[in-house]
Amino acid sequence: METFEILAKKARKRTGRRMLFTTLSVLFACFIIYAGLMFVSGKLLNRNFQKLIVYYDQRMTIAYPNIYMKSNSRPNGRFSAAYHIERIKDIDGVEIPYPPLRATASLFDTHLDHTGDGTIYQAFRDPVTNRFYSNQSKDRNPAFFNVQADWNKKHSGKPSQELELTREMEGQLVEVALTFDQPYSYQELQEMLPENLKQNWFWMGTTNKEQDFAFDLTDIYGLSFRYKVLEMNYSQFIEKVKGALKDPRYKTMTTYGGSGETFSNYDDLEFIKEHYPTLEKAKFAGVILTGKAENFAQLEGKDWIFASSIGTSIPNQPYYHLDKE
């Protein structure tokens, strides 16, 4: 017969093996749970991060007047990811920095950079006009004005008329937004606009009747013909418009008009899609031109210009290679 001591040793061994097995099982289960959580969190984070990329890719194509992406970076963590976009403006072929965007994605949501997209305005009297600035850097932004709005209301701002100011800016490169008296086709504008000024960005206009000086940069729809094949630019623009119409965020975003009322620019996207499906059918309500200040004098007094607004300006340098001389 086995002695009590031998039986005790065997019992201790069995207990040790059970404890070891239990410990290993718990550790393995914890590892599986951790790996599963990391996999799921990675999927959730990547999904929301991709939403950020798609959103800003759309916006940079259909909005942001004369503002372009220079580069982007994606520093990621386990539970959040940042999307950093370096931006520039094009002033007659000269690239100048514009405040960056910093958006983030978490496991359950995306967080857009509304501060980077915002504009602020300052009213001036005698006459009442408005100046527009970046919400971050206070750099001057050119503005478009809604021809359909009632600009005769009391305490109403007036559409800017700043072309004449370019006479006092000799030796500078200037960005100017022109609002037309009515929409024009691309071909009509090629006959109207001077050849020695660069056509940077075309505004599609708006369907509302608000004094829309409070628009964020994301809500000003238009495009740049940066590619040599014009139809390629426009077809890409329309595809991004169609993609934006499928994004529920565009329906819920509201904008303040000059009357204090809120409205959505979703109708603008619908209008563009339905009425301007091709470049041949498209009409443009305004344009951003850049070039030498002295070249803008030829536009003064044109009856098809409803408003003109100066944006960024920089000293011209002899080492710049301008797109338009």
Side-chain angles (χ1 to χ4, degrees):
M1 290 181 62
E2 294 181 312
T3 64
F4 177 78
E5 185 178 347
I6 294 174
L7 290 173
K9 287 182 178 180
K10 289 183 176 180
R12 285 196 296 271
K13 287 182 179 180
R14 287 195 297 270
T15 301
R17 285 196 293 268
R18 283 198 297 268
M19 290 182 63
L20 177 62
F21 177 77
T22 301
T23 301
L24 291 175
S25 297
V26 170
L27 289 174
F28 182 72
C30 289
F31 174 78
I32 293 298
I33 293 172
Y34 175 79
L37 288 174
M38 290 299 100
F39 177 79
V40 172
S41 64
K43 285 287 187 182
L44 291 173
L45 181 60
N46 185 65
R47 183 187 67 179
N48 287 330
F49 190 74
Q50 289 302 316
K51 287 181 180 179
L52 270 186
I53 293 175
V54 169
Y55 173 82
Y56 280 110
D57 179 57
Q58 287 174 344
R59 287 291 197 181
M60 295 301 293
T61 304
I62 68 175
Y64 291 112
N66 195 30
I67 300 171
Y68 312 97
M69 180 187 299
K70 179 67 173 179
S71 63
N72 62 73
S73 59
R74 312 173 184 184
N76 294 345
R78 290 187 180 276
F79 303 107
S80 66
Y83 191 40
H84 183 94
I85 302 175
E86 293 291 338
R87 299 185 292 179
I88 59 165
K89 279 195 170 189
D90 176 356
I91 309 297
D92 200 5
V94 180
E95 295 182 356
I96 62 170
Y98 192 79
L101 288 172
R102 297 181 179 90
T104 58
S106 62
L107 297 183
F108 304 108
D109 204 359
T110 58
H111 308 278
L112 305 178
D113 187 351
H114 295 293
T115 301
D117 288 335
T119 57
I120 57 176
Y121 70 95
Q122 180 180 5
F124 289 81
R125 303 288 175 177
D126 302 322
V128 181
T129 57
N130 295 294
R131 306 290 187 268
F132 306 86
Y133 300 89
S134 160
N135 197 37
Q136 290 174 300
S137 66
K138 308 304 183 288
D139 290 333
R140 214 170 192 270
N141 280 326
F144 295 105
F145 296 84
N146 193 349
V147 176
Q148 303 177 85
D150 181 2
W151 296 99
N152 295 315
K153 292 180 180 179
K154 188 177 181 181
H155 306 303
S156 168
K158 302 299 179 185
S160 298
Q161 308 295 337
E162 299 184 339
L163 271 176
E164 291 185 0
L165 297 179
T166 58
R167 297 179 185 176
E168 305 171 29
M169 302 175 70
E170 186 177 352
Q172 296 189 57
L173 302 175
V174 190
E175 175 189 43
V176 178
L178 301 180
T179 302
F180 306 137
D181 63 333
Q182 63 182 31
Y184 292 95
S185 71
Y186 181 82
Q187 292 303 323
E188 287 175 323
L189 291 174
Q190 299 317 296
E191 298 176 3
M192 297 160 60
L193 298 174
E195 293 185 2
N196 58 354
L197 291 172
K198 184 173 182 178
Q199 302 170 19
N200 289 68
W201 198 85
F202 288 80
W203 182 42
M204 304 299 292
T206 181
T207 58
N208 71 76
K209 296 183 179 180
E210 289 286 335
Q211 296 175 14
D212 41 18
F213 49 76
F215 275 15
D216 282 352
L217 298 173
T218 54
D219 297 318
I220 305 172
Y221 298 130
L223 73 158
S224 172
F225 291 96
R226 304 193 86 187
Y227 305 132
K228 291 183 179 180
V229 181
L230 302 179
E231 289 75 11
M232 182 186 299
N233 290 265
Y234 198 80
S235 63
Q236 184 186 65
F237 169 77
I238 287 297
E239 287 304 310
K240 299 297 183 183
V241 167
K242 292 177 180 177
L245 286 168
K246 298 176 183 178
D247 189 335
R249 284 175 294 192
Y250 286 78
K251 288 185 177 181
T252 58
M253 290 178 180
T254 57
T255 302
Y256 285 95
S259 67
E261 300 293 328
T262 60
F263 58 93
S264 172
N265 282 340
Y266 189 82
D267 291 342
D268 290 348
L269 295 175
E270 285 279 14
F271 184 88
I272 292 169
K273 175 190 171 186
E274 295 300 323
H275 294 85
Y276 300 154
T278 63
L279 179 58
E280 290 72 23
K281 294 182 178 181
K283 299 282 187 177
F284 300 97
V287 68
I288 290 180
L289 303 175
T290 61
K292 294 180 179 179
E294 51 267 32
N295 290 346
F296 284 92
Q298 60 196 305
L299 290 169
E300 292 181 27
K302 298 294 185 182
D303 57 6
W304 46 267
I305 296 178
F306 175 75
S308 54
S309 173
I310 293 175
T312 299
S313 60
I314 58 173
N316 193 7
Q317 302 292 352
Y319 49 80
Y320 285 157
H321 296 285
L322 305 181
D323 289 338
K324 298 286 185 178
E325 291 293 343

